[in-house]
Structure formats: C-alpha cells, structure tokens
C-alpha cells in the first residue's frame, strides 16, 4: 500500500494492467444529458450514463462542464479536451495533483487499490471497498492520494497519516473548513444529519436522504454546510434561504462556473421523459426548513410541472411566486421568527396553468 511509481515509465505498467490510456481522442456521442446552472442557460453535454466531473481543467478559475464515460474510460471537458484515460469500473478522481492550478485526469481502481494520475504518478494505495478522498492534506498546494475505509472508519493519506475518524455509514466530506490551506478530515452522518470535523465542533444540518454538498456559497472563502434534498430538488445552505433548483433524479454538481468566488447551484440531468399530463391538482404542507431551528417555514407544494405557484396567508405576509419543478414540486419559504407564538397561521396556495387553476391550503403554528 506504500508503492509510488512515476508515470515517466508508465507505458509498461499500462500495458501490463490493460489501463486503456492514450490513443485517438474519443468521439462524443449524441447528447441526452443536460447541465443546469442557476441564472445561466442550460447546456446539453454528456449522456445520461456519464459521471459528471466538473473541475477547473484549464486554470481559468472557472469550473468546466465535464463528464467521465465509465463504459469506455473516456473524458469529455467542454471546450478543453477529450481523452481516454481509465477502464470500465474505474472511479474518476480528477484533481490538481501537481500544483499547476489545473485539474488532472485521474482514476482510482478499487479492485486493485491503484491510483493513476495522467502524466504525474501511479500509486497503489487502498483496497476494494475504500472511498477515494483526494485532497491537499499537508498544505503544499498538491492534492494527495487518500482513501476513507468505511469498514473501520479510518482515513489513509499516502505518506502522511492513518487516522480513525468516522463510522461505517458516514459520508466523507473532506474540505478546508478553517481556511488554513490544509484539508480537514470530516464526515456527514445521514442518520442524524450531523457534520463531524476533526478538531472542531459538530454541526447538525440536514437529514436522511439528503446529499451533503459543502462549498463556499457566500464568497467568504470558507465552505458552508449545505445539503441537496432530492425529494424536492431543494438546496439548503446553513444561514441562508432554501432554494428549489433541480428534481429527484438530478445529480447536484455545485461549482464556481462564473469564477466570482461564489459556488453556484447546478445539476446534471440525464434523459428523463416528462410526466404525462393530467388534471391540475394541488397539495401543500408546512414544515420547518431546519427541524432544530423553527425560524423559517417551507410551504411545500405538489402540483403539475411548470405550474405557477402563488402563496398567501391570513397575516398578509408575502411569499415569492415561483414555478413547480419538473417533478411538480415548489417551495415557498417564509421567515416566521417574528410571528406571534402559538397563533395558527392559515396558508392558501393557488396553482395555475394555461389550462386552468386549482387551490389548496395548509397551516402552521409558530413556536418559540
């Protein structure tokens, strides 16, 4: 588990392992996958079976649209490159392994525990069942090979450390949470929605079924605790308003697509047929945005995709109008921190399409 080989002589290694490196640039197949970046036009790029791998591949400080095609080991980076690097079954792990400011093509082969970073290094570090967690753990500006082993909750960082931190069901969420230039060991526990960062206080944010997606969403150079909730296509960022952007089948792909230092909400959507049309319907329920902080209420509405959703209540509060997602879900968020405690608030929801309209109602009672 400690052998590192230079890629200068990787041709022989590649031949022996059947790595499938090099050759002519692969052809880009018909597109049926689409990228949606908030406040930007949607972009068709990739197919539904591709793995999205957005990174900054050309060093311009903007995240590039990119996919890895596991069936062929092919990489497609929009406007930058196409290449074959890897084999079917490999896990793509692109990152800046040489410190030049550009993400490098790389794969982790779990069956053998080998890492391959194009033009940089190959190393055997890990075993079947490990989760690759490459990051810059020592602050030298280069990403290190590392794995998280769920079976014993242990982190293995090549040539640096072996540390037990986590449990078998935890999700590794490595990031530089204190902005000291070094990646911190961290896990998110789905069973209680809690973030555990080594040598820092635990933070509860999210719940079972959510996908943790910590990024710097407010531009303060620190990653924010955040989750994507597939059931409603909603993004929840701690200390910020919830945003509905996506649907249940989307893959969240947050990144710095505009290069302004703020992470953008974005999803990759495979080919999904639209639901069949039916009579316009409406149902609504009021739930706290964060179960531990009853300061904001989410009026969750289920109706037909594309319907205009308007929400009012008997206090005269204003809710922004929005449209139902591709799965017919809309969320209206209201700050209720100043509402009278213990007084029932009745909510009316109206949904409309060119074909007609419908209404429904719900209620909630602010608590201290």
């Amino acid at each position: 588990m400690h052998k590192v080989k230079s890629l200068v002589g990787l041709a022989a290694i590649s031949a022996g392992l059947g790595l499938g490196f090099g050759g002519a640039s692969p052809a880009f197949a018909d597109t049926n996958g689409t990228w949606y970046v908030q406040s930007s036009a949607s972009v068709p790029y990739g197919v539904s079976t591709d793995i999205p791998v957005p990174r900054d591949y050309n060093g311009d400080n903007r995240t590039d649209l990119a996919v890895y095609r596991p069936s062929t080991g092919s990489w497609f980076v929009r406007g930058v490159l196409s290449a074959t690097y890897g084999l079917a079954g490999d896990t793509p792990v692109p990152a800046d392994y040489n410190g030049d400011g550009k993400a490098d093509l790389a794969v982790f082969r779990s069956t053998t525990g080998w890492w391959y970073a194009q033009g940089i290094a190959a190393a055997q570090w890990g075993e079947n069942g490990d989760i690759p967690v490459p990051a810059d753990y020592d602050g030298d500006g280069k990403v290190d090979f590392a794995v998280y082993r769920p079976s014993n909750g242990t982190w293995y960082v090549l040539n640096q450390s072996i540390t037990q931190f986590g449990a078998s069901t935890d999700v590794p969420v490595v990031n530089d949470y204190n902005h000291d230039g070094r990646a911190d060991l961290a896990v998110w526990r789905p069973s209680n929605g809690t973030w555990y960062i080594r040598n820092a206080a635990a933070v509860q944010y999210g719940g079972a079924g959510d996908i943790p997606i910590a990024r710097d969403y407010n531009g303060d150079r620190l990653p924010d605790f955040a989750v994507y909730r597939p059931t409603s296509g909603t993004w929840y960022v701690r200390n910020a308003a919830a945003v509905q952007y996506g649907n249940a089948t989307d893959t969240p792909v947050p990144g710095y697509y505009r290069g302004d230092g703020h992470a953008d909400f974005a999803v990759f959507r495979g080919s999904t047929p639209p639901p069949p049309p039916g009579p316009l319907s409406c149902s609504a329920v009021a739930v706290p945005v964060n179960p531990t902080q009853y300061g904001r209420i989410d009026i969750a509405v289920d109706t037909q995709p594309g319907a205009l959703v308007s929400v009012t209540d008997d206090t005269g509060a204003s809710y922004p109008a929005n449209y139902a997602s591709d799965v017919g879900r809309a969320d209206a968020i209201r700050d209720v921190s100043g509402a009278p405690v213990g007084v029932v608030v009745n909510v009316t929801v109206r949904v409309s399409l060119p074909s007609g309209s419908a209404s429904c109602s719900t209620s909630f009672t602010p608590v201290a």
Side-chain angles (χ1 to χ4, degrees):
M1 227 167 112
H2 297 273
K3 294 183 285 186
V4 179
K5 298 180 182 292
S6 168
L7 271 186
V8 171
L10 191 59
I13 298 174
S14 301
L17 297 179
L19 194 51
F21 293 159
S25 297
F28 195 79
D30 292 338
T31 294
N32 64 1
T34 303
W35 294 71
Y36 296 87
V37 179
Q38 191 181 37
S39 302
S40 301
S42 61
V43 178
Y45 196 76
V47 298
S48 59
T49 55
D50 288 345
I51 299 173
V53 285
R55 300 289 190 281
D56 178 8
Y57 291 89
N58 58 3
D60 66 353
N61 295 317
R62 294 171 180 262
T63 300
D64 301 300
L65 307 188
V67 295
Y68 175 76
R69 191 155 297 162
S71 60
T72 60
S74 299
W75 298 73
F76 302 95
V77 182
R78 186 170 183 258
V80 181
L81 63 85
S82 62
T84 297
Y85 196 79
L87 291 177
D90 288 349
T91 300
V93 285
D96 183 7
Y97 293 95
N98 60 2
D100 67 353
K102 303 175 183 179
D104 306 297
L105 307 187
V107 295
F108 174 69
R109 185 160 301 160
S110 61
T111 55
T112 61
W114 275 85
W115 294 71
Y116 301 93
Q118 189 181 43
I120 301 164
Q124 188 176 26
W125 187 251
E127 61 185 39
N128 201 9
D130 288 350
I131 299 172
V133 284
D136 182 6
Y137 292 90
D138 57 6
D140 66 353
K142 301 177 182 180
V143 169
D144 307 299
F145 296 146
V147 296
Y148 175 74
R149 188 161 297 161
S151 61
N152 59 10
T154 300
W155 299 70
Y156 299 85
V157 183
L158 181 63
N159 296 328
Q160 293 183 45
S161 62
I162 298 176
T163 307
Q164 199 287 323
F165 189 77
S168 61
T169 58
D170 289 348
V171 178
V173 286
V174 61
N175 214 319
D176 182 6
Y177 290 93
N178 58 5
H179 193 54
D180 66 351
R182 293 176 169 85
D184 303 300
L185 307 188
V187 296
W188 183 74
R189 189 158 295 164
S191 61
N192 60 12
T194 299
W195 301 69
Y196 297 93
I197 304 171
R198 191 166 181 250
N199 299 323
V203 174
Q204 195 285 326
Y205 197 76
D210 290 346
I211 300 172
I213 44 171
R215 298 290 190 279
D216 180 8
Y217 293 94
N218 59 9
D220 67 353
R221 305 180 73 181
L222 292 170
D224 302 297
F225 299 113
V227 296
Y228 176 75
R229 189 159 296 163
T231 53
S232 62
T234 302
W235 301 67
Y236 296 92
V237 180
R238 190 172 183 238
N239 298 323
V243 175
Q244 198 285 324
Y245 194 78
N247 66 34
T249 61
D250 290 345
T251 300
V253 285
Y256 304 89
Y257 297 93
R258 294 174 294 178
D260 63 356
H262 296 70
D264 305 299
F265 299 141
V267 296
F268 175 74
R269 182 171 301 165
S271 178
T272 304
L280 192 59
S281 61
C282 174
S283 65
V285 62
V287 294
V289 169
N290 186 336
T292 65
Q293 299 175 356
Y294 204 98
R296 296 199 307 275
I297 285 292
D298 175 8
I299 307 301
V301 181
D302 288 299
T303 183
Q304 264 64 26
L308 175 64
V309 178
S310 302
V311 181
T312 58
D313 66 34
D314 56 9
T315 70
S318 174
Y319 297 78
N322 57 16
Y323 290 88
S325 69
D326 289 355
V327 294
R329 181 66 181 265
D331 292 86
I333 309 296
R334 180 191 165 187
D335 184 350
V336 295
S337 56
V341 173
V343 178
V344 176
V345 177
N346 297 300
V347 179
T348 300
V349 178
R350 182 178 176 82
V351 298
S352 58
L353 285 171
S355 58
S357 62
S359 61
C360 52
S361 62
T362 185
S363 64
F364 62 90
T365 305
V367 298

